[in-house]
Amino acid sequence: MSDAASHSAGWRPATYYPDPAIHAFDPRFEKYWLKLSAVERLTTGLRWAEGPVWFGDGRYLLCSDIPNQRILKWEEETGAVSIFRKPSNFANGNTRDRQGRLVTCEHGGRRVTRTEYDGSITVLMDSFDGKRLNSPNDVVVKSDGSIWFTDPVFGLLGNYEGYKAEPEIDMNVYRIDGATGKATIVAEGILGPNGLAFSPDEKILYVIESRGVPNRKILAYDVSPSGDKLSNKRVFVDAGPGTPDGFRIDIDGNLWCGWGMGDPELDGVVVFSPDGVMIGRIALPERCANLCFGGVKRNRLFMAASQSIYALYVNTQGAPGG
């Protein structure tokens, strides 16, 4: 079945190998493509799936369902789906810190929080210089324990993914020091900062500019040797008609990016090599907003795609920090 036919028909699992939803645009993608693996739909019925994060110690995946004000839990051993948190304060991006605790961006609270081992919630940041944050979107944790997150205004635009309000502060990328908790602005002037991730050696930070003109872009910054500042802003990828959102990076430095907006030729996941070449694609019948690596060997790609969560085994692993 072609991508367009599959898209119009809704979800249809592959009936043979290799899965026709997977496409190699460059020979470099072949090493990551397991020809006896197919895209699986784990669950559906969400309103807008975002922020997947893997808990290997519990063998489960958490995923935000922003408009439904909940975080869902999918268990790998049983396939059971349950509500992990409701209300979620319009939770969006999630990750884990170096102590294994859940770190969450909340549109509703306009804050970044940490869930402690006992289930209590600690507010890590909700303002800067006396001004409320906008709607923290996506978050990653660096090896030094620092927390980096983007703060666009998307959750303030209406009452579907947050609470309608006027912004008090510019859209920035922030860093929270892992030792002191002090917050600093590390990148400004980005039009709609969205997904972000570090290269495996943490020398580059990539950030999605989701309101870029005329197209969305993936920006790249050099990380200072001290690990707390950015420089040399540049365009890594001009997305053209594509809509990159959230993404994660594998151990070889490839970017696995959520992609699409209702177009069967775009919806799904695209993969960029470290030199910015699109080397592969995973077609889905829905736009993919975000993804993460997980599973026992961290070689299973979990994709939060509009109303569903999908998974695919790949021949690589996610880099630490996401």
Side-chain angles (χ1 to χ4, degrees), residues 48 50-52 64 66 90-95 103-107 110-112 133-140 148-155 161 172 174 192-196 207-208 210-211 216 244-248 287 289-290:
W48 181 240
E50 254 285 7
S64 295
I66 304 176
F90 292 104
N92 188 340
N94 298 287
T95 193
V103 178
T104 300
C105 292
E106 297 181 1
H107 284 188
R110 299 168 70 167
R111 63 187 191 176
V112 179
L133 297 177
N134 297 308
S135 53
N137 185 285
D138 207 354
V139 58
V140 290
W148 302 58
F149 70 94
T150 55
D151 185 41
V153 296
F154 307 148
E161 295 186 66
N172 299 311
Y174 295 90
N194 202 313
L196 75 170
V207 182
I208 302 292
S210 59
R211 293 295 182 267
R216 290 195 180 204
D245 194 334
F247 65 105
R248 288 294 179 258
R287 173 185 174 181
N290 213 331

Side-chain angles (χ1 to χ4, degrees), residues 23-219:
H23 308 270
F25 300 144
D26 185 289
R28 286 177 288 180
F29 185 69
E30 293 287 342
K31 67 177 288 189
Y32 305 112
W33 182 359
L34 293 173
K35 299 301 174 67
L36 298 183
S37 173
V39 177
E40 306 163 69
R41 188 167 73 177
L42 304 180
T43 190
T44 191
L46 294 79
R47 280 207 170 101
W48 181 240
E50 254 285 7
V53 58
W54 176 251
F55 279 71
D57 40 352
R59 304 267 313 262
Y60 62 84
L61 179 82
L62 298 182
C63 181
S64 295
D65 183 4
I66 304 176
N68 279 328
Q69 275 265 43
R70 61 184 183 172
I71 298 175
L72 295 182
K73 177 182 181 181
W74 174 84
E75 298 180 45
E76 185 179 40
E77 280 292 282
T78 64
V81 178
S82 58
I83 294 176
F84 175 80
R85 178 176 296 161
K86 184 178 176 71
S88 66
N89 230 352
F90 292 104
N92 188 340
N94 298 287
T95 193
R96 300 182 76 182
D97 67 11
R98 293 293 160 153
Q99 290 73 43
R101 297 169 294 189
L102 176 67
V103 178
T104 300
C105 292
E106 297 181 1
H107 284 188
R110 299 168 70 167
R111 63 187 191 176
V112 179
T113 64
R114 182 178 66 220
T115 301
E116 307 297 347
Y117 300 127
D118 63 2
S120 62
I121 295 176
T122 298
V123 177
L124 299 177
M125 184 174 172
D126 60 5
S127 63
F128 186 80
D129 281 349
K131 299 177 181 179
R132 295 187 70 188
L133 297 177
N134 297 308
S135 53
N137 185 285
D138 207 354
V139 58
V140 290
V141 176
K142 199 167 172 287
S143 61
D144 62 3
S146 58
I147 298 168
W148 302 58
F149 70 94
T150 55
D151 185 41
V153 296
F154 307 148
L156 303 181
L157 301 179
N159 295 313
Y160 187 61
E161 295 186 66
Y163 300 109
K164 185 174 177 60
E166 292 299 317
E168 299 177 15
I169 196 169
D170 291 339
M171 296 184 285
N172 299 311
V173 180
Y174 295 90
R175 175 187 183 271
I176 303 174
D177 189 273
T180 67
K182 180 183 178 181
T184 55
I185 295 172
V186 287
E188 50 193 344
I190 301 175
L191 303 176
N194 202 313
L196 75 170
F198 286 99
S199 60
D201 61 8
E202 298 185 333
K203 292 182 178 180
I204 300 173
L205 177 71
Y206 300 95
V207 182
I208 302 292
E209 185 175 52
S210 59
R211 293 295 182 267
V213 179
N215 304 317
R216 290 195 180 204
K217 300 174 181 66
I218 303 177
L219 305 176

Side-chain angles (χ1 to χ4, degrees), residues 250-265:
D250 67 22
I251 54 176
D252 293 331
N254 300 296
L255 283 67
W256 298 69
C257 306
W259 209 262
M261 185 53 118
D263 186 331
E265 301 304 318

